[in-house]
Amino acid sequence: MKKIFVKYFIFILLLTLNCFSMENEKSPKREFRAVWIASVGNINWPSKQGLTIEEQKKEYIDMLNEIKALKMNAVIVQVRPVADRFYKSPSDEPWSKYLTGEAGKDPGYDPLKFLVDEAHKRNLEFHAWFNPYRVTFTKGEKLPKNHPALKHKDWTVNYDGKLYYNPGVPAARNFTEKVILDVVKNYDIDAVHMDDYFYPYPARDKKKKDIPFPDREAYKKYGKGLTLDAWRRKNVDIFVESLAKNIKKTKPYVKFGISPFGVWRNISDDSTGSNTKAGVTNYDTLYADTRKWIKKGWIDYIVPQIYWNFDFKVAPYATLVDWWQEEVSGSKTNLYIGHAAYRLGSNEAWKNEDELLNQINYNRDNGRALGSAYFGLDKILNNSTNIKENLKGKSYKNIALPPKTPWIDEVAPSPVTNFKLNKVEDGVELTWDDFPKNYVTYYAIYRSETPKIDVTDSRYLLETVRRDGENKFVDRDVTDGKSYFYLVTAVDRVHNESKASQPKKIFLKK
């Protein structure tokens, strides 16, 4: 009986200590928290083709409000899904049919400007997501007569019934790069983003054999003594390097990020590869040498799509996170992890409410990764496996600033001045001034109920406020009869943070 009591006591003690530890766990003050918003096939937004302008705008605003409520700080929005566009452009690429139901039809407003402006109102970073080479999404899809792919048939290949720009044709690469740079120049985006689609995933015939990608003519013309595989990788490298350099020439603060397939190479093919047995790899199947991009400093962040659970034997989650952590060590590339929110509830492993939360915690442990991006926004918004409650109540209890990129810029803005507190009818009003030439993008508001405010601790970070000329914030989550202490910092476009203002105290009388 005594042994049972002792075991029970120890169990309760450990449970209590664990709960105490979880309640007091400090989440990172800086962490990338993003969701992909896919437009191809009307996956996320717009929800269907041909919605009115008002319906499109309402859908997006409602979506952003939920994303903001989850304490995310970035959205990755697909703006060029299939050699079409969600933005004004001097190119002949058509307006997207995913907006209007008809490729080339003017949507009646500038969608990208609206998308960016609404994200920035909520101080969410806007990453413009481009698919570089896909021209059609479904087999036999018809294009408008003036489409560049029809004007320049020598740029394209037909692969398994779908049309692609050929990455091996310099003119096709240059055209895609120019389209993207026009967006960088003309829109207030925070980053250019690409996923895993450079060369397409292999299609298979009826005998389940890989169908060769039909680029032999271009290879004969441009291969210059390289093997076919090496030439394909070189084509992708040329595009990534050139785009990276020209983004920075156009707007130095605009980041460039890529989200590749989760496995670079298996250890069976390369002793420096990951201890995995993936049937597809970036290097050998998709011709994407992610290692080179990191070593050369061409990309500011990488988001490997590690869409598997911890116990998936072919490609275990922890094994891959550890491998990618080593890849970026000492580089000028931030590591974020792409999570499979779309798998939530799909099988036994993903019915476990803790699977995704445990992945986030694993990323944070020893700084393995600096944040997360989630594919499968509908599963999050529909609260599959209670993911919304779990993110808000556990992983994302506090807001976070995005990570810094010191290789772009590490000069912080000047501190704010004339910081004041005032009691107003609906809470506490904070006001401040800054210098006219101060390069401020937003402000961070910190609050405490004691004189101590630790600006390195996310628990004191109350809110971030976009610079809009008013320099004002009202804290409505206050209680009469209490004292509150506040301070403000100024933050620039790449998240360098100024020194803090002097803390101010206010007592709210009952």
Side-chain angles (χ1 to χ4, degrees):
M1 187 70 181
K2 286 182 179 179
K3 287 183 179 179
I4 294 173
F5 176 78
V6 170
K7 287 181 178 179
Y8 179 75
F9 176 78
I10 291 171
F11 172 75
I12 294 297
L13 178 62
L14 290 173
L15 184 63
T16 303
L17 289 172
N18 185 52
C19 290
F20 178 80
S21 174
M22 287 178 68
E23 283 297 315
N24 288 276
E25 184 180 359
K26 183 169 69 172
S27 62
K29 178 191 164 177
R30 290 186 179 272
E31 186 172 57
F32 188 69
R33 300 175 183 175
V35 291
W36 277 287
I37 300 177
S39 59
V40 69
N42 298 101
I43 293 174
N44 297 133
W45 184 88
S47 63
K48 59 183 178 181
Q49 298 175 21
L51 294 177
T52 66
I53 294 173
E54 291 72 22
E55 288 170 334
Q56 288 181 11
K57 288 184 174 183
K58 184 180 185 306
E59 275 194 352
Y60 182 68
I61 287 171
D62 290 346
M63 196 176 286
L64 288 190
N65 287 339
E66 288 216 55
I67 292 166
K68 180 70 174 177
L70 290 169
K71 297 184 173 68
M72 303 284 186
N73 53 31
V75 289
I76 305 168
V77 184
Q78 194 172 35
V79 299
R80 186 186 188 249
V82 284
D84 56 0
R85 58 188 169 93
F86 279 52
Y87 44 80
K88 294 180 178 179
S89 173
S91 78
D92 288 331
E93 287 196 317
W95 284 105
S96 179
K97 71 175 184 179
Y98 300 119
L99 288 167
T100 63
E102 179 185 337
K105 183 178 178 181
D106 192 323
Y109 74 117
D110 188 338
L112 183 51
K113 185 178 187 310
F114 168 76
L115 296 171
V116 174
D117 288 349
E118 290 299 321
H120 284 170
K121 282 180 185 177
R122 292 156 181 81
N123 203 35
L124 296 166
E125 276 199 329
F126 189 95
H127 295 230
W129 170 15
F130 299 85
N131 190 292
Y133 297 127
R134 182 171 60 200
V135 179
T136 60
F137 185 57
T138 56
K139 293 182 180 182
E141 191 174 338
K142 291 185 178 180
L143 300 173
K145 292 180 180 180
N146 65 336
H147 197 291
L150 298 181
K151 289 182 178 180
H152 304 278
K153 292 185 178 180
D154 56 319
W155 293 2
T156 67
V157 292
N158 190 310
Y159 182 55
D160 192 35
K162 301 175 186 178
L163 203 61
Y164 296 86
Y165 286 127
N166 188 344
V169 176
R173 292 196 304 265
N174 295 339
F175 173 77
T176 297
E177 181 180 343
K178 185 178 184 307
V179 166
I180 295 170
L181 291 174
D182 283 338
V183 172
V184 175
K185 179 181 178 182
N186 296 319
Y187 291 88
D188 191 25
I189 65 173
D190 298 288
V192 167
H193 180 93
M194 291 179 184
D195 56 13
D196 47 331
Y197 290 102
F198 291 96
Y199 279 86
Y201 284 78
R204 291 191 164 188
D205 60 21
K206 292 180 180 179
K207 296 181 180 179
K208 296 185 178 180
K209 290 185 178 181
D210 288 353
I211 301 172
F213 188 72
D215 59 352
R216 295 308 189 274
E217 287 187 21
Y219 173 54
K220 287 178 183 177
K221 187 173 182 179
Y222 300 109
K224 295 181 180 178
L226 295 171
T227 66
L228 178 62
D229 287 6
W231 173 70
R232 287 173 175 170
R233 280 189 288 274
K234 183 180 179 182
N235 294 332
V236 178
D237 288 345
I238 289 170
F239 176 72
V240 171
E241 180 184 16
S242 180
L243 180 58
K245 289 180 178 178
N246 285 314
I247 287 170
K248 293 298 187 287
K249 283 181 182 177
T250 307
K251 288 181 180 176
Y253 59 81
V254 171
K255 296 181 283 289
F256 182 26
I258 294 178
S259 177
F261 182 73
V263 178
W264 173 69
R265 298 193 86 186
N266 295 312
I267 198 169
S268 58
D269 297 314
D270 190 312
S271 62
T272 65
S274 55
N275 190 14
T276 52
K277 297 177 181 178
V280 171
T281 67
N282 282 302
Y283 188 90
D284 300 292
T285 317
L286 305 175
Y287 310 103
D289 190 357
T290 54
R291 170 173 286 175
K292 178 181 279 189
W293 308 343
I294 292 167
K295 285 189 173 182
K296 294 288 187 180
W298 293 342
I299 53 176
D300 298 300
Y301 69 85
I302 193 162
V303 194
Q305 298 171 20
I306 307 182
Y307 288 170
W308 307 289
N309 55 283
F310 282 98
D311 296 327
F312 186 62
K313 292 181 180 179
V314 173
Y317 181 83
T319 298
L320 282 165
V321 172
D322 290 352
W323 186 88
W324 282 100
Q325 180 193 23
E326 288 299 314
E327 281 294 284
V328 302
S329 178
S331 75
K332 294 180 178 180
T333 302
N334 284 340
L335 172 64
Y336 314 135
I337 302 300
H339 296 273
Y342 71 93
R343 290 187 184 270
L344 291 173
S346 62
N347 59 36
E348 207 56 43
W350 289 96
K351 287 176 183 176
N352 175 9
E353 289 188 20
D354 292 329
E355 177 64 36
L356 199 51
L357 306 185
N358 289 339
Q359 291 187 5
I360 296 169
N361 288 336
Y362 192 81
N363 296 351
R364 289 172 172 175
D365 189 25
N366 297 321
R368 286 188 174 93
L370 301 179
S372 302
Y374 303 92
F375 186 75
L377 177 59
D378 56 322
K379 285 294 187 82
I380 294 176
L381 298 184
N382 292 332
N383 199 29
S384 181
T385 66
N386 295 314
I387 186 61
K388 284 202 289 191
E389 281 78 4
N390 285 328
L391 286 176
K392 286 190 286 189
K394 296 177 181 178
S395 299
Y396 294 164
K397 286 195 293 186
N398 309 315
I399 67 172
L401 305 186
K404 293 191 286 187
T405 48
W407 51 90
I408 295 177
D409 174 30
E410 54 185 343
V411 179
S414 301
V416 304
T417 59
N418 200 29
F419 174 46
K420 295 178 181 178
L421 304 177
N422 293 291
K423 175 71 175 77
V424 292
E425 185 176 344
D426 53 349
V428 177
E429 181 185 72
L430 291 70
T431 60
W432 59 88
D433 295 332
D434 60 28
F435 298 100
K437 293 185 179 180
N438 209 4
Y439 296 103
V440 178
T441 302
Y442 64 97
Y443 304 94
I445 314 295
Y446 295 81
R447 186 185 75 177
S448 175
E449 293 182 19
T450 70
K452 177 189 175 183
I453 304 180
D454 183 355
V455 294
T456 68
D457 189 336
S458 66
R459 288 173 293 188
Y460 295 94
L461 187 55
L462 178 65
E463 188 56 274
T464 60
V465 182
R466 200 78 180 181
R467 188 185 198 185
D468 61 4
E470 287 193 8
N471 292 357
K472 182 174 71 174
F473 172 74
V474 177
D475 180 13
R476 295 178 175 85
D477 185 22
V478 293
T479 304
D480 288 343
K482 283 189 173 184
S483 292
Y484 294 94
F485 298 80
Y486 296 89
L487 61 79
V488 177
T489 62
V491 191
D492 69 14
R493 193 65 180 257
V494 290
H495 311 293
N496 295 307
E497 188 176 19
S498 75
K499 292 180 179 179
S501 66
Q502 286 297 317
K504 298 283 185 179
K505 174 186 176 182
I506 189 168
F507 174 70
L508 302 181
K509 295 180 182 179
K510 288 187 177 180

